[in-house]
Amino acid sequence: MDEKRSGKIVKFAAESVILREGEVNLEMYKIIQGHAELYTGYGTKQEVLLGILGPQSCFGELGLLLQKPAIYTVVA
């Protein structure tokens, strides 16, 4: 984890991939403004939209706690 970003507000452009399925990510995110989409199979024929998160929602906690690859992709 980049200590400089820890606890900081980070902005993502629309359609930016924040977290990618299959990659280990040791950061947890909280949405302050806007929305994020959760997918499995993102960018493939098997792509499935799991849900849309809005303000005050969190994601990335599984990777942070378990240090295992993400089970979904999150797109701003």
Side-chain angles (χ1 to χ4, degrees):
M1 177 170 38
D2 181 1
E3 293 298 321
K4 293 179 183 176
R5 287 182 44 186
S6 180
K8 304 281 182 172
I9 294 177
V10 180
K11 294 182 181 183
F12 292 94
E15 300 183 25
S16 296
V17 174
I18 301 170
L19 184 89
R20 191 172 300 279
E21 182 177 357
E23 292 181 358
V24 175
N25 180 50
L26 303 179
E27 295 180 346
M28 186 172 125
Y29 298 88
K30 180 176 182 178
I31 299 173
I32 305 297
Q33 182 179 13
H35 295 84
E37 300 169 342
L38 278 66
Y39 293 92
T40 58
Y42 183 72
T44 70
K45 290 181 181 181
Q46 292 79 33
E47 179 178 293
V48 174
L49 175 63
L50 299 174
I52 299 173
L53 302 176
Q56 307 307 314
S57 298
C58 296
F59 62 91
E61 67 281 0
L62 290 176
L64 177 65
L65 297 172
L66 303 176
Q67 298 181 1
K68 301 277 184 177
I71 58 173
Y72 48 70
T73 296
V74 180
V75 180

